[in-house]
Amino acid sequence: MDAALDGELVDETEQPQDGPTPSPPAPGDDPFDELGRLLLRGGTLEEVLARLTQLVAGSVRGADGVSLTVTGGGGARTAASTGGLAVALDEQQYASGRGPCLDAARGATVVRVADTARDADYPDFAAAAREHGVRSSLSVGLPARSRVPGALNLYRVDAPVQVDAEGEQLASLFATFAAVALVNAAGSGAQAARTRYLHVAVRNRALIDQATGIVMAQEGCDADRAYDRLVERSRSADRPVLEVAADLVAAVDRTTGERPD
């Protein structure tokens, strides 16, 4: 692995501090467009990751505390966060060497703690989470092919309702952008990888928007209801929303012989 990704990279943002209340995207603005612009105009790693965690908190229902864990030769660190709540729970996991964010980072996978009052997989983390009023968590590992081990962590306070399927899909897209920023920080030699993963993130978002448009046309409903229908299909099939969207677009392609606008 590139040395900049393995240790030096994380040192640029050693100790996240409490900050202002995270601001959501401006009305009508797509958070991924904002991150894309920030990346392409050469924003610093600290600036990009800090804004990314804010946008997650402003875009995903139930993301009351957000952090980005990066692991490597220097151990696990929190590269960015929305404040002390997320940092405290991250550091508890680093100290014990066990927790959902670490498992998500190691396996490049998604790890949920559905209810900290009942969780038996991570008892120390669950106890610490309860002390901070956190009832559930979602950790999304950064894409394995980016070779950047880490995880985006979402902590929900009070209500035991988990981040839903839509929120998980959004978190996965944000995790891809985080990987783009981290690869970008490795230097000019990572230009091809940076461009590739940025395109993947944008293409995935466009695919979901396209499938939403198809459902709107098929069922005569608005965009919100159409997306809800995609989520319902993903749950009933026990498959990611992105896969359901891809199948729907492919089916229309086969029927019409061209990709719908």
Side-chain angles (χ1 to χ4, degrees):
M1 176 175 292
D2 192 301
L5 294 179
D6 196 34
E8 298 174 7
L9 180 64
V10 191
D11 293 341
E12 299 180 21
T13 54
E14 277 193 30
Q15 295 295 332
Q17 302 295 325
D18 288 323
T21 302
S23 56
D29 195 13
D30 187 309
F32 302 105
D33 287 344
E34 180 179 341
L35 286 173
R37 291 192 299 269
L38 191 56
L39 282 167
L40 293 174
R41 77 165 187 254
T44 66
L45 178 64
E46 182 176 13
E47 180 185 11
V48 172
L49 297 184
R51 185 55 181 153
L52 183 143
T53 58
Q54 290 182 337
L55 288 171
V56 174
S59 302
V60 179
R61 291 189 297 272
D64 299 312
V66 180
S67 66
L68 179 68
T69 294
V70 180
T71 63
R77 300 215 183 163
T78 299
S81 78
T82 55
L85 171 68
V87 173
L89 292 180
D90 287 352
E91 291 183 344
Q92 184 281 326
Q93 297 172 72
Y94 307 156
S96 68
R98 176 167 170 73
C101 80
L102 296 177
D103 283 350
R106 291 166 184 153
T109 189
V110 175
V111 178
R112 281 184 178 272
V113 173
D115 188 347
T116 59
R118 301 173 181 272
D119 184 74
D121 293 329
Y122 305 103
D124 293 339
F125 165 75
R130 290 195 300 274
E131 289 179 5
H132 287 82
V134 170
R135 295 294 302 273
S136 64
S137 72
L138 173 71
S139 291
V140 180
L142 303 188
R145 60 188 179 278
S146 69
R147 300 190 304 113
V148 182
L152 182 63
N153 311 302
L154 287 66
Y155 300 108
R156 183 176 178 90
V157 176
D158 296 330
V161 178
Q162 305 173 51
V163 171
D164 61 16
E166 177 183 359
E168 182 177 328
Q169 179 61 40
L170 284 172
S172 296
L173 291 172
F174 278 115
T176 301
F177 269 91
V180 171
L182 291 164
V183 169
N184 182 41
S188 58
Q191 175 69 33
R194 174 186 64 192
T195 302
R196 180 168 67 253
Y197 291 113
L198 180 57
H199 286 173
V200 167
V202 172
R203 186 169 65 248
N204 287 352
R205 179 68 176 183
L207 182 63
I208 291 175
D209 288 344
Q210 193 171 48
T212 300
I214 292 171
V215 175
M216 290 172 65
Q218 290 177 340
E219 302 191 9
C221 58
D222 62 19
D224 288 341
R225 177 55 184 158
Y227 188 85
D228 288 343
R229 292 287 293 135
L230 283 177
V231 172
E232 290 168 8
R233 294 183 190 185
S234 76
R235 286 174 175 165
S236 64
D238 193 23
R239 299 175 64 202
V241 172
L242 188 60
E243 289 185 7
V244 172
D247 285 352
L248 180 58
V249 171
V252 171
D253 285 352
R254 289 192 297 270
T255 301
T256 64
E258 60 180 353
R259 189 173 292 274
D261 294 331

